[in-house]
């Protein structure tokens, strides 16, 4: 979660934001107050914290913070995707190895649906290679 810095509630900071955002008239319009209110806040050093916070997100500092947070989130999500893809591949290899190692149980029928009587030597070698890959 992104949040603005805590030390923004200073009249000097508000003045800097007013200058950066194009003057009293534009800031008054953004905050939905009169231009006279902006002048009064500055003169009395009584700028509401919410006004400063609202302007922060419009400044280059706030925009930079939002952009940085988005980039960091994208990098994090890409890393998570790569980790999940690796885990998926490993899980598939484990399942494939387990299927190759299935020798059956004593009460299974003698003939399976494919007509194979016994496991071939090639299948045994494949299962050993898969298990070595998974455990190695």
């Amino acid at each position: 979660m992104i949040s603005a810095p805590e030390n923004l509630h200073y009249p000097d900071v508000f003045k800097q934001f007013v200058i950066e955002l194009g003057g009293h008239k534009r800031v008054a319009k953004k905050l939905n107050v009169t231009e006279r209110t902006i002048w009064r806040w500055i003169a009395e050093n009584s700028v509401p914290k919410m006004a400063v916070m609202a302007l922060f997100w419009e400044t280059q500092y706030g925009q930079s913070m939002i952009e940085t947070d988005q980039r960091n989130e994208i990098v994090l999500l890409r890393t998570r995707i790569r980790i999940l893809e690796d885990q998926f591949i490993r899980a598939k290899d484990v399942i494939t190895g387990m299927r190759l190692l299935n020798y059956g149980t004593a009460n299974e029928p003698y003939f399976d649906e494919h007509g194979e009587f016994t496991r071939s030597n090639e299948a045994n070698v494949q299962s050993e290679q898969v298990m070595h890959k998974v455990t190695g």
Side-chain angles (χ1 to χ4, degrees):
M1 184 173 149
I2 187 171
S3 60
E6 301 244 347
N7 59 350
L8 286 180
H9 187 59
Y10 296 105
D12 293 335
V13 174
F14 185 76
K15 289 177 194 175
Q16 289 175 342
F17 291 170
V18 170
I19 292 167
E20 182 183 333
L21 295 172
H24 296 76
K25 190 172 190 173
R26 289 187 72 194
V27 168
K29 188 172 183 177
K30 285 184 182 294
L31 295 176
N32 199 24
V33 296
T34 65
E35 192 175 346
R36 184 175 177 190
T37 301
I38 301 295
W39 283 106
R40 184 174 42 85
W41 286 346
I42 292 171
E44 296 174 359
N45 283 335
S46 63
V47 182
K49 186 174 182 175
M50 288 295 114
V52 179
M53 299 299 272
L55 290 183
F56 173 77
W57 298 113
E58 298 290 328
T59 65
Q60 64 181 349
Y61 310 107
Q63 294 294 312
S64 175
M65 187 177 273
I66 291 169
E67 185 177 328
T68 301
D69 189 61
Q70 287 175 339
R71 286 184 183 183
N72 290 340
E73 187 71 21
I74 288 169
V75 168
L76 178 68
L77 291 173
R78 282 184 180 159
T79 303
R80 286 181 180 174
I81 288 170
R82 268 190 253 118
I83 290 169
L84 289 172
E85 286 173 343
D86 290 345
Q87 288 176 345
F88 176 73
I89 290 169
R90 277 192 243 125
K92 273 182 27 180
D93 290 345
V94 167
I95 290 171
T96 301
M98 291 176 75
R99 285 183 178 152
L100 289 174
L101 291 174
N102 182 14
Y103 290 104
T105 59
N107 59 352
E108 278 189 270
Y110 288 105
F111 304 100
D112 65 6
E113 58 189 54
H114 299 292
E116 295 178 16
F117 293 101
T118 58
R119 289 175 50 107
S120 68
N121 189 33
E122 184 180 318
N124 288 332
V125 171
Q126 283 180 337
S127 67
E128 288 173 11
Q129 289 172 346
V130 168
M131 287 309 293
H132 179 71
K133 182 179 177 185
V134 169
T135 58

